[in-house]
Every structure is written in C-alpha cells, then in structure tokens.
Amino acid sequence: MAATDEPSEAEFADPTGDPLLRTRFALPTRPATFVRRPRLTGHLDQALGTPLTMVNGSAGAGKTLLVADWASGLRHSVAWLTAESTDQAPGVFWAHVLQALRAAGVPVASEVGSPAEAGRVDQRTLTRLAAGLESRDHPTVVVLDEFDRVISREIAEQLEFVLHHAGQGLRLVLVTRTEALLPLHRYRASGEMTEVRDAELAFTPDEAHELLTRHGLDLSASAVQALVERTRGWAAGLRLCALAALRGTDPHTYLKQFEADHSVVADFLLAEVLDRQAPDTQDLLLRISVLERCCPDLVNVLTQRTDAEPILAALQRGNAFVHYLGHSWYSLHPLFAEILRAHLRERFPGLEPELRSRAAQWLRRSGALPEALAQGAAADDWEFTARAVVDDLALGQLFTGLRSDDLSALFERMGPDVRGPAPDLVRAARELAGRDVQHGLAHLHRAEEELARDGATDPAAAGLTCALLEALAARLTGTPGRAERAAERASALRPEVPGHLLDEHPELNALLLTHLGSARLWAGRFEDARTVLSAVAVRSGGAAMALPRWEALGHLALIDYLNGWIGRAEHKALAAAGQAQRYSLPQRSGAGLGTLVRAAVLIDRDELDEAQALLDEAAASHPLVADPVEEAGRLLTWGRLLLARGDARAALAAADAIVPAVMSSPWAEDHAAALASAAHLAQGHPESARKAVERVADRRTACAVQAARARLAAGHPQEALDMLDSLPETDGPGPAVTVRAMLVRAQAAHELGDHTAAHRLVGRALLEGRREQLRLPFLECGPWIRPLLSTGRLRELAGGWLVPGTGNGRPAPVAQPQPQPQPPALVVEELSAREHDVLCRLAEMRSTEEIAADLHVSVNTVKTHLKSIYRKLAVSRRGDAVRRARDAGIL
C-alpha cells in the first residue's frame, strides 16, 4: 500500500516541487583574490566546542568566504546550506536542511521523512533528526549561510529544539546579518556560544593591504589606512574600491576621489559598477533586476536582443555581482539587484510591470509556473495570473498543502474589479478553502456562466477545476447528487485535457474522488464510497498525493468502523496518521477522520483516557475541510465516550445534535438512534430506549442489536431473541457488532433459564472479543455476567485482557488454598492496555526514559500514564504501584 512505501529519491525534494539547487549545498569557492585571516579562523575553531556559533556582520563583510575557508579545513562532516527568502516556510527550510545533510554524506534515516507542505514540518521529523544526530560518534557541523533571510520565529524555535536535543552531535554555525531569533542570551550566559561579530570581521590595515595587493594595487600604508577608515574595514567596500580603481588610469587619484565624494554603497554601485558597463550591458542589468534568477533566453525576452549569453558570462567572469547557479542560470547579488530595481524605476517609470509581464509569460511557457505566477502578481496582471493557475490545473494545490499558503497569499491583492472566469474560479477556491460555501458557490456559478462566452480560458481545464470545486461544495453541504454530477462532468472532460497536465497534477483527480467518496459515505453507499476512496489510497505520487491519501484512508477507516471491523479500521487510521507524520501535513488539515476512528476504537476497548486525548486533539484542530461526515463522526464518538464515562444525559444530547447538511445521512441517523437508546437504558428507561431505536432497527444490524437490548431490559428476553433471529444472513457485520449480539443472546438465554446456552454464547463472545480487545461490550452487560467470568473455562478465556488472574488463555498457577474471593472487578475499569505496558516495565525497574524508548513514545507521555496508574491504583510511588498491581493479580 502506498501509505507504507519507503520514500523514493524523488520525494527528497522541496515540498513546493521546485528542484533542489546543488549550489545551495556547496561550500562557496574562494576567489584568487581571497585573503586568509588566521585570527578569525582560529577564533572559529572554538565552534567545535560549543553547540552554537554565530558569525554576524553586515552585507559584504566577508562572512561567507571566511566560514567556507574555515570549514574546508575541518575533518568533521560539514553540511552547508545557503538560505533563501523562501526558506521562512518551515517545510521548505527543513527539506533543504535534510538535503544539505545528505549532500555532506551525513546519514539521514528514512523514518525522518521529508516535509510535504511548505508551511509546516511535523514534530516527529525534528525529533527523529535530533536523535539521529545525537547518536553519531562525531559531531556534524551544519552551516546556515545568509540565515538572516529566514525570519520565521517558528523555524527558529524548531532549530533550537533540534540543536538542544542533538546534544554533542551537532555544531550549528549561523552566518547572518542580524541577530538570530534563537535564545542567544541563554547560550551566552552558559558559555555555549562562539561569536564573530561585525567589528571583528572588519579588515585590519594589514589584511586590507594584502587584499588590495592581490587585486594589483600597490598603495602606501597611509593610503590603505585612509581607505580602511573610510570603509570601516568593510570587505565588499574594499574589494569594490579596488575593482573600480583598476578601471581608471590613476588608481591612487581615484581612491582619493572615492574617499571624498561617495558616502553610500548604492551611489558607489551605480556609479562604479553599473555606469562603467557598456550601455547595452547597463540596460540588461536594469531589466534583469526584476528576476530572482535568469537564463540567456529569458534575458533576451526582457531586452528584446539575442546577445544575453556572452554578456552574462562576461559579467560573471568579471565579478560584476552576477553569480552562476549552474545549468545556464544566473542571479544578481541581492543587494545589487535591489539597488538596480530602484534605479530602474527612476530611469524608466512604468517599465517594471511590463518586464514582469514578459517574464511571467516566458516562465509559464517554460514550465516554471510558480515563478510565472509570482511575476504576474508583481505586475498586477491578475487576469494572466489567474488564467495560468487554472489552465495549468494547479488550483488543486490550494487544498493539498503544496503551495497553498503561497497561492492564497498571492491572490490576496487581486481586487474585485478583476473579472473573468479564471479570477472567479480562484476566488471560489479560496472561499471554499476557507469553508465559506455561500460565497464560494456564488463565485463558482458566475465563473461557470462566464465560461460559455469566454474564449481565453481553456474550457476543459477550467471545467475540470469547476468539477473539483462543485464536488468539494457537495461534500461540505452533504449533497451526494451534486458530487455525482461533478464526477460525471470531470470524467467527460478529462480526455480533452493534455495528458502531461494530468500527470503533473495527480492531486486534482485524487481530491475530486475523495470529495465524491465522502459524499457517497454520507449517503450511506459504503461500497460505492470504498471503491473511489481505495483508488486514492493506493495511488502513488509522493508529497502531491499525501493529503488526498490521508483523507481517503481516514474515510475508509470510518467505513470499516461503522461496519464493526475495528481492527481493520484501526489499521487504516494508523496508516492515515503515518501519512500525516511522514509528509508533515498542515495543521489546518485538522485531526482528521482517522483520529476520530482511533478514538472510537479505544472506546470499544475501554481505554477511555487515551480516547479522550485523541478527541481533545481533534477538538483543538481547525480542519481544512469540515464536512458533515466528520462532524457526525465527532458527535457520535464524543457521545459514546460520555456514555462510557457514565454521563448518559450528555451522551443523549450528543445523539440529538443536528449535523448541518442539505440531506440527512442514514448511517448517522441510525447510529445516533442507537446511541440515544443506549443512553436511555443507562438512565433506566427501557421504553424510551425501545422507541429511540426500533424505528431504524431493520436498517442496520447494530441498531437491531441495540433494539434487542432494549427489549431485554424491558423484561422481554424472548422478543429480544426473536428480533436477533430475524436479522438477514447477507449482512456481515464485524466483531464490534457480533460480540454485542452474542452477549444479548447470552443474557436472554440466562434469563430464560438456559444456562448452558448462555455459557456457550459468552465463550464465543470472549473468543471473538479477545482478538480485537473488545472490552466495552462486556462492561455494558451489567452484573449478571461477572459470576460467569470468574469461573472455569470462561475465566481462562477472559484472563489477561478482561479479568485478572490468568493470561493468554492459560490456567493460573496452582496456589495454596485461600479464602474464596469475591467475583473480581474487571481490570479494564482500572488500567488501559498502554498503562499495563508501562506498569510491566515499571516492575522491571526501568527508568522513565527507558520506558519511553522501549514503547516509542515521549517521556512526557510516559509520565502522563504513570500519573493515571498511580491514581487508579490509589498509590503515589512506583514501588507501591508495583506491589498493589501484584496483589490485585494485574502483574
């Protein structure tokens, strides 16, 4: 199944789908004019003894080359990452950090995974990464260059977490222009931080003399001193002065003029870098300043010439702040580009939007859609930008976590005056993503009306996007018929869409099928829903398919649970959780159906504290898609938990709650009726219990079993048996239903005096319930069953999981005669299965940390279980807990 596949090499990628540029992970090459500075590299050697090192200086202070020179001489593994402004998205940042480690030859375990969503990273990924680094024999040096571009406090907190827990296995070096957001005061106070700051980075006169000499300038000591004072030892300023002076006929005179006439770097760059270029080259530099990166073909489009390639190569060779990225792509130094853009606006007002529009069109034709969208939005060309995202079938990424934050933010500036089917589809998608169905449908219907008379937007692609949004609206409103019509429309349009677009965007069809499956599930068409949901769950596609697979698995888990197959349901729910953890699905996705199903399974096993924790997690989340299926599942699961805890009145209120939907759901009504009936029984009102469920007893086996329980409680055991005997044989429910049915039969037989049949039926129920650890049905039986469970073969069948004294179905050891005990209380009222696991390890004298490692949970989770164990056993210490458990036969 796709949910358990090992990640492929292709999945170790930027979660936005962009390629991982190798130049970002390579130590920068030192130029021939580079000056080694032993005083600073010696200082940096202290970094090997402290967890954190910060090299903090202004732009052009020589930070990067200094650290690269130092790192190149280390014997330790050095992972280098040059940060970008896009790295403030946690998923993107950590995907690049993981790739930097791999590029440096540092093993990264497969279970660490790779973030799938740009806006977040799963905590387990960080935990496993820290553990992997901490276990290494030698520390790994991680250098984050230009870290000032990462301005996310969330990333800083995550980085601090990894740094703290990696211990001696990580030495973090931050190369930055600003103070990092990490808690630097703590590291400074404890002496665990190495710092190289701006004042120390400044060139001394001797270092400046060597730098100028390497550039071919032989200046007097006084001239060097004056230049150092004027530039304050700024490395880039010294180098720029040297390069500019060499172009003049009298370098000495030029340097004197520079000292007197220029006070800001911008003036210098414009006067001595830009103005020194040929007019055609100046024009080229100004035009490409609007680009994050460029290649000769793109530059030719912006300059409307054909000679970009030799000019770019010459600029790169001449160190004119043009950097080669590889594969014919270049970029301007960010500071230079910023100054050039300002000058472009002054020299050619109104040209920038035109350049960006040209760039957007070229980038889209070249397949670089994200960059094309960014340029189109920057040019305020919203019609182009919206049409591009619709025609390229990329709008589905708004719902999968892939570029969802970027896409949503991109179109925030699109004003209401921008009209057309593509802009309205974008508006509809953004409204539906925010669960505003009313406004979303208004935009969607207007777009559909406009499509008939609009020729600019691809009708097939736009129609397929309309079908996706219609299916989502149908799911959100509980309208299965609308979802079916949307699926039929999509099926008819799909052959008209270019195959490569469908291959590039598998998430669009997967999302549509998931919405269809959810709508069918709401309608009670379980097998039809299973068909389309299974097609999504087994589909490969890496990060692009992670969220649809997660949703499909959660829905499939619910179908199994509703049919009584709790083991199968739990397996699928855990597979869904694995998808969420592996691909760091966004928090706004919510806890999901899988979490609700896991909680429901735990309730059937009477592990109520664990179920409560999962339901609290679900309540605290803010789901991306809050549909009637999930709302009904949440209400019913909460109701069953309340009932299991003895709060029948609150359970009845949950059963009576109304789920907003256009159409009612048969299974939601049936299970609500069964819950209401059980709550009435708990209150001692069998007649109300009968009335609540008998109207739906013939529609679902679980409801018929509950109706039989009500008849039994009213004192009519034979009527209860007759009702169960009338169940259709074609209905094949799972153990959660059949065990309850057997226990109702057993109680009826017991009340009718057929104790042999009652004994046999309880035995069968124990055999079937033990496989699934179904404890709650036995608790629901009341006191009549306890004497049976305390004697003979039934005690052996119940031992170890339902009652104390034996385990694994084997007889208890022979002991000395003891006074006849009272019928034992059920262990499930005291300890959950996981608490029992913790208690067993407690008896082995293991530490909290060892228990956590053995059970693959956090230390805090173990502490929570210990508190619950102490409370349930009425003790306050470990030793007392073990003794009390042994006395009670639990251990």
Side-chain angles (χ1 to χ4, degrees):
M1 202 174 201
T4 59
D5 288 342
E6 290 297 319
S8 67
E9 185 64 29
E11 291 175 352
F12 292 128
D14 186 326
T16 66
D18 285 345
L20 295 171
L21 299 175
R22 288 177 293 177
T23 51
R24 294 187 61 184
F25 310 112
L27 266 69
T29 303
R30 276 76 68 206
T33 55
F34 176 73
V35 175
R36 297 206 69 209
R37 299 199 275 174
R39 66 180 179 89
L40 295 180
T41 54
H43 188 174
L44 281 175
D45 285 338
Q46 299 176 20
L48 299 177
T50 60
L52 179 63
T53 295
M54 185 173 67
V55 181
N56 185 352
S58 57
K63 308 178 297 294
T64 297
L65 293 181
L66 168 67
V67 176
D69 182 56
W70 168 74
S72 65
L74 295 179
R75 291 179 294 176
H76 298 75
S77 298
V78 178
W80 184 284
L81 172 61
T82 301
E84 298 283 4
S85 57
T86 55
D87 291 349
Q88 60 187 304
V92 175
F93 175 81
W94 285 105
H96 282 82
V97 170
L98 292 172
Q99 185 61 21
L101 289 168
R102 297 185 187 100
V106 178
V108 178
S110 60
E111 59 263 28
V112 172
S114 185
E117 197 270 335
R120 72 181 296 271
V121 65
D122 191 83
Q123 185 65 27
R124 293 198 177 191
T125 295
L126 304 178
T127 300
R128 291 166 178 167
L129 173 61
L133 291 171
E134 195 274 339
S135 65
R136 285 176 55 79
D137 294 331
H138 303 288
T140 298
V141 178
V142 175
V143 179
L144 299 181
D145 188 25
E146 300 195 44
F147 187 71
D148 48 279
R149 294 183 177 185
V150 182
I151 60 175
S152 166
R153 187 170 296 276
E154 180 181 3
I155 289 177
E157 292 172 353
Q158 294 166 348
L159 198 59
E160 157 66 10
F161 173 87
V162 173
L163 179 61
H164 174 72
H165 291 284
Q168 297 298 315
L170 175 61
R171 295 290 180 259
L172 180 63
V173 180
L174 302 180
V175 184
T176 177
R177 299 181 190 179
T178 60
E179 286 273 294
L181 295 176
L182 278 70
L184 303 179
H185 61 282
R186 294 210 303 262
Y187 288 96
R188 289 180 178 128
S190 61
E192 294 182 317
M193 181 174 174
T194 300
E195 287 190 82
V196 178
R197 302 187 68 82
D198 204 38
E200 190 176 3
L201 287 168
F203 271 58
T204 66
D206 288 342
E207 291 168 343
H209 184 273
E210 183 178 356
L211 175 66
L212 295 170
T213 300
R214 287 177 178 268
H215 280 79
L217 289 172
D218 185 15
L219 302 178
S220 65
S222 61
V224 172
Q225 181 66 40
L227 188 59
V228 169
E229 290 177 359
R230 181 65 187 86
T231 61
R232 296 185 181 179
W234 181 43
L238 291 167
R239 182 169 176 269
L240 286 171
C241 287
L243 292 172
L246 287 171
R247 294 191 178 97
T249 57
D250 186 352
H252 291 77
T253 301
Y254 172 81
L255 290 175
K256 290 180 181 180
Q257 292 174 345
F258 167 77
E259 180 182 3
D261 299 336
H262 294 82
S263 59
V264 297
V265 176
D267 291 340
F268 178 78
L269 287 171
L270 291 174
E272 304 303 335
V273 178
L274 180 66
D275 292 347
R276 292 281 181 170
Q277 304 296 331
D280 286 350
T281 303
Q282 289 187 35
D283 182 73
L284 180 146
L285 285 169
L286 289 171
R287 288 169 182 263
I288 68 174
S289 67
V290 303
L291 303 172
E292 290 294 325
R293 59 186 185 123
C294 61
C295 67
D297 288 344
L298 175 55
V299 175
N300 284 335
V301 168
L302 266 60
T303 60
Q304 298 181 322
R305 301 202 311 264
T306 59
D307 57 352
E309 185 168 6
I311 294 177
L312 289 170
L315 287 169
Q316 191 269 330
R317 287 194 304 270
N319 295 313
F321 297 93
V322 175
H323 306 299
Y324 184 61
L325 302 176
H327 305 287
S328 298
W329 285 88
Y330 295 82
S331 70
L332 288 173
H333 186 286
L335 181 61
F336 190 33
E338 183 179 345
I339 294 170
L340 289 173
R341 282 194 297 275
H343 197 58
L344 172 71
R345 295 170 192 137
E346 291 179 5
R347 186 180 294 186
F348 302 108
L351 181 58
E352 182 179 353
E354 179 185 339
L355 293 172
R356 291 189 180 277
S357 290
R358 287 190 214 164
Q361 294 173 27
W362 185 92
L363 288 164
R364 186 190 172 199
R365 290 194 303 269
S366 301
L369 183 63
E371 291 173 273
L373 298 178
Q375 290 290 348
D380 285 332
D381 191 348
W382 295 111
E383 200 279 332
F384 162 84
T385 308
R387 190 173 69 248
V389 78
V390 171
D391 288 354
D392 284 34
L393 294 184
L395 201 55
Q397 292 181 350
L398 192 66
F399 303 97
T400 65
L402 295 176
R403 299 191 182 280
S404 56
D405 290 338
D406 292 342
L407 278 175
S408 183
L410 189 74
F411 287 99
E412 280 182 354
R413 294 191 300 107
M414 184 173 68
D417 56 315
V418 182
R419 305 299 298 269
D424 278 326
L425 282 177
V426 171
R427 293 187 182 100
R430 294 185 72 233
E431 298 287 5
L432 290 173
R435 300 184 294 281
D436 187 342
V437 178
Q438 180 180 357
H439 288 95
L441 284 176
H443 291 306
L444 176 59
H445 293 157
R446 187 166 65 187
E448 291 172 329
E449 293 172 359
E450 293 168 332
L451 278 172
R453 58 178 183 270
D454 182 272
T457 303
D458 184 335
L464 203 55
T465 302
C466 287
L468 169 65
L469 300 181
E470 286 280 5
L472 173 56
R475 172 182 174 180
L476 292 173
T477 56
T479 318
R482 171 182 281 172
E484 295 290 347
R485 291 190 295 274
E488 291 172 1
R489 179 182 182 185
S491 180
L493 288 170
R494 203 170 289 116
E496 301 178 23
V497 177
H500 73 276
L501 285 180
L502 295 173
D503 292 338
E504 290 169 7
H505 296 285
E507 72 279 354
L508 189 140
N509 189 56
L511 287 167
L512 193 151
L513 291 179
T514 303
H515 301 332
L516 175 62
S518 181
R520 286 179 174 178
L521 196 162
W522 180 247
R525 296 166 53 195
F526 287 176
E527 293 311 307
D528 290 339
R530 190 191 303 274
T531 298
V532 293
L533 292 168
S534 297
V536 176
V538 301
R539 175 75 186 273
S540 60
M545 287 289 296
L547 192 140
R549 281 199 302 262
W550 171 73
E551 285 205 313
L553 286 166
H555 281 75
L556 290 169
L558 179 61
I559 292 172
D560 281 338
Y561 180 81
L562 293 174
N563 286 331
W565 297 97
I566 70 168
R568 300 177 189 173
E570 183 181 41
H571 176 76
K572 291 184 177 68
L574 290 173
Q579 285 286 304
Q581 294 163 7
R582 178 178 174 184
Y583 291 100
S584 299
L585 291 178
Q587 289 180 336
R588 67 177 177 282
S589 300
L593 277 175
T595 300
L596 295 176
V597 170
R598 288 162 58 202
V601 169
L602 289 170
I603 294 169
D604 274 328
R605 291 174 178 163
D606 200 46
E607 298 180 14
L608 304 185
D609 289 342
E610 290 83 349
Q612 179 80 55
L614 288 174
L615 288 173
D616 289 342
E617 175 187 332
S621 68
H622 302 284
L624 186 65
V625 179
D627 59 19
V629 171
E630 185 162 341
E631 179 62 14
R634 184 186 66 82
L635 286 170
L636 292 172
T637 307
W638 269 114
R640 294 187 64 246
L641 177 64
L642 291 166
L643 185 60
R645 289 199 182 279
D647 192 345
R649 178 177 296 181
L652 193 59
D656 292 340
I658 298 174
V659 177
V662 173
M663 297 179 59
S664 60
S665 170
W667 65 263
E669 287 186 344
D670 294 349
H671 283 272
L675 174 61
S677 175
H680 284 306
L681 280 184
Q683 292 176 322
H685 304 143
E687 183 60 24
S688 298
R690 182 188 64 78
K691 290 179 180 179
V693 75
E694 282 197 353
R695 61 187 176 82
V696 297
D698 59 343
R699 300 202 314 212
R700 202 170 302 276
T701 302
C703 296
V705 172
Q706 180 58 40
R709 282 189 66 206
R711 295 285 182 93
L712 194 59
H716 306 292
Q718 189 57 55
E719 291 182 12
L721 289 174
D722 293 342
M723 180 168 287
L724 294 177
D725 288 338
S726 66
L727 293 175
E729 296 183 0
T730 54
D731 189 3
V737 177
T738 57
V739 166
R740 285 180 168 87
M742 281 186 256
L743 290 174
V744 171
R745 288 182 182 276
Q747 184 176 356
H750 178 79
E751 294 183 7
L752 291 170
D754 190 349
H755 300 295
T756 300
H759 194 281
R760 183 184 71 254
L761 287 165
V762 171
R764 287 176 54 195
L766 286 168
L767 284 170
E768 192 162 345
R770 180 169 61 179
R771 286 192 292 269
E772 302 280 9
Q773 299 289 292
L774 275 165
R775 301 179 184 89
L776 189 62
F778 295 89
L779 285 174
E780 293 170 341
C781 288
W784 72 269
I785 199 173
R786 294 195 178 202
L788 276 70
L789 296 178
S790 65
T791 58
R793 175 62 176 164
L794 296 185
R795 178 175 173 81
E796 295 176 11
L797 291 174
W801 70 280
L802 193 58
V803 298
T806 62
N808 302 320
R810 295 189 295 273
V814 177
Q816 295 298 318
Q818 299 289 333
Q820 182 67 32
Q822 294 297 317
L826 296 179
V827 172
V828 293
E829 294 178 352
E830 300 177 359
L831 298 181
S832 69
R834 182 46 63 93
E835 289 166 353
H836 187 270
D837 292 339
V838 172
L839 184 60
C840 290
R841 287 156 179 80
L842 203 65
E844 297 171 358
M845 304 297 290
R846 299 195 193 187
S847 68
T848 304
E849 290 74 13
E850 289 171 335
I851 296 173
D854 193 40
L855 294 178
H856 303 288
V857 297
S858 69
V859 171
N860 285 338
T861 299
V862 174
K863 290 179 180 178
T864 300
H865 286 311
L866 287 174
K867 289 180 182 178
S868 182
I869 291 170
Y870 296 162
R871 176 178 57 81
K872 292 180 179 182
L873 296 182
V875 297
S876 59
R877 295 181 297 183
R878 291 181 169 220
D880 293 340
V882 173
R883 283 190 293 274
R884 179 68 57 83
R886 284 174 176 155
D887 292 343
I890 299 172
L891 291 175

